[in-house]
Amino acid sequence: MSFRPPSTPDRFAPRFSEVATFMRAPLAATLEEADIGIFGIPYDGALTHRAGARQGPREVRNQSSLMRAVHHVTRMAPFELAEVRDMGDVPFTGIFDIETAHNDIAAFANKLVSKDVIPFGIGGDHSVSLPLLRAVAQDGPIALIHVDAHTDTQDEFQGSKFHHGAPFRRAVEENLIDPKATIQIGIRGTQNNTEGWDYSAETGMRVIFCEELHAKGAEAIATETRALVGDRPVYLTFDIDCLDPVYAPGTGTPEIGGMTTHQAQVLLRGLNALDYVGADLVEVSPPLDNGTGTSLAGAALAFEILCLLAQKVGQK
Ligand code: MN
Ligand code: MN
């Protein structure tokens, strides 16, 4: 009796068949076989408001079955440029304690990094970026491209320094990112105070409020970002709430006046040819969605990000 395990890629099988993996990539059998490892981080214990991002990886996997093999603008074929695998989900030992959960995430990402597998995490709330940065920035501070409605540079809230509005303040304090090589794109929405915006500005981050993006256009912002990052190792973190809630209502802290899906695509396509060491896409919350559109946007933008990572692998 023969048996075809799901690790056998078959791009011409019906897309509704098989266990849903990210973009129908094979499930990894070993760490060694992958150049890029996409994995789920089903954790939302650090949210400050509306919950549900722990359900993100499942629905993004499901919607990502709609992604095919070739990019329609760049003609890039990420699965030919790189060995792409679904690494499964981060196994948790303590989801009721943020720091324990973060240690679980860092331990998982460390395994990939130790085998030169580029980690691409699908969250999950935005707090998960901190342990991912701990894994990829072990040789000193790296550059950061942060696409979000919020700077996520707040300080302590409700007795914790590790909630989803704080990861990039902690990342500066832990010397994981260079704030002067950090750019935050799409910022908007009310805050209780200006603490986060002030911290970003005072540490030298380039903060692009969404009004500036709308005025200058996504392509110009991408050009500025590439110039700022240069040839430094860089991490890309993409919060789905950068999109306008018209396109992404399924997220914990939606803010109007945001990007269209097309602006986000143009921005990401312009962030090519950089030295990516990892990426994440976070804050997709399927229980808050109107149908499955937010997860589909997440899956399609994850494909754009995958192309950026695969391009780097292909250049090696
Ligand atoms: Mn965020
Ligand atoms: Mn946000």
Side-chain angles (χ1 to χ4, degrees):
M1 187 180 104
S2 68
F3 174 68
R4 181 174 65 81
S7 62
T8 305
D10 182 356
R11 294 251 143 230
F12 298 97
R15 288 186 283 165
F16 48 81
S17 66
E18 289 291 359
V19 176
T21 60
F22 286 117
M23 314 205 201
R24 307 176 71 227
L27 263 179
T30 67
L31 272 171
E32 284 75 13
E33 69 193 51
D35 298 314
I36 300 168
I38 316 179
F39 55 97
I41 315 171
Y43 176 73
D44 66 5
L47 286 169
T48 54
H49 189 33
R50 309 195 302 166
R54 68 178 61 182
Q55 317 288 349
R58 280 241 169 145
E59 193 54 35
V60 172
R61 274 196 180 92
N62 194 26
Q63 295 303 316
S64 76
S65 296
L66 284 153
M67 299 306 113
R68 299 188 186 89
V70 185
H71 194 291
H72 78 280
V73 175
T74 63
R75 301 295 172 102
M76 204 176 279
F79 305 101
E80 288 178 18
L81 287 170
E83 293 296 331
V84 182
R85 295 291 184 275
D86 186 323
M87 315 302 288
D89 284 350
V90 170
F92 285 104
T93 65
I95 60 167
F96 300 109
D97 177 71
I98 297 178
E99 288 170 69
T100 303
H102 283 182
N103 288 340
D104 291 336
I105 295 164
F108 185 84
N110 275 332
K111 285 185 192 169
L112 274 62
V113 170
S114 72
K115 299 290 184 184
D116 285 327
V117 180
I118 299 177
F120 183 11
I122 306 291
D125 72 51
H126 215 157
S127 76
V128 305
S129 295
L130 180 62
L132 296 177
L133 284 166
R134 287 174 182 156
V136 299
Q138 294 173 25
D139 299 329
I142 60 175
L144 179 73
I145 303 171
H146 173 204
V147 189
D148 199 326
H150 313 96
T151 61
D152 294 350
T153 48
Q154 305 276 337
D155 210 344
E156 192 172 306
F157 178 70
Q158 288 281 311
S160 176
K161 295 162 67 177
F162 300 103
H163 59 88
H164 77 147
F168 306 112
R169 191 180 188 114
R170 302 286 90 82
V172 171
E173 292 170 353
E174 295 183 23
N175 210 27
L176 303 173
I177 59 171
D178 177 355
K180 294 184 175 58
T182 293
I183 187 163
Q184 304 188 296
I185 304 169
I187 308 305
R188 63 190 188 279
T190 55
Q191 291 287 343
N192 288 322
N193 54 47
T194 62
E195 173 186 282
W197 303 329
D198 293 344
Y199 183 85
S200 292
E202 285 161 12
T203 54
M205 296 181 185
R206 171 74 168 105
V207 182
I208 297 180
F209 280 74
C210 214
E211 285 70 16
E212 185 178 353
L213 180 135
H214 288 307
K216 290 184 175 171
E219 208 169 329
I221 301 302
T223 301
E224 181 182 341
T225 305
R226 275 203 317 275
L228 181 82
V229 170
D231 56 8
R232 302 180 64 136
V234 60
Y235 186 87
L236 171 63
T237 182
F238 192 98
D239 185 327
I240 201 74
D241 72 26
C242 73
L243 297 178
D244 192 273
V246 164
Y247 303 93
T251 193
T253 40
E255 309 283 0
I256 68 165
M259 293 182 210
T260 66
T261 44
H262 182 247
Q263 282 174 311
Q265 286 174 313
V266 170
L267 175 69
L268 289 171
R269 284 168 202 162
L271 299 176
N272 60 341
L274 295 173
D275 184 16
Y276 288 106
V277 296
D280 62 53
L281 184 141
V282 296
E283 298 280 352
V284 172
S285 179
L288 299 171
D289 209 356
N290 299 337
T292 53
T294 307
S295 298
L296 175 62
L301 294 170
F303 182 82
E304 298 279 350
I305 294 169
L306 177 65
C307 286
L308 300 174
L309 304 180
Q311 184 187 33
K312 183 226 159 122
V313 172
Q315 284 169 343
K316 268 185 188 168

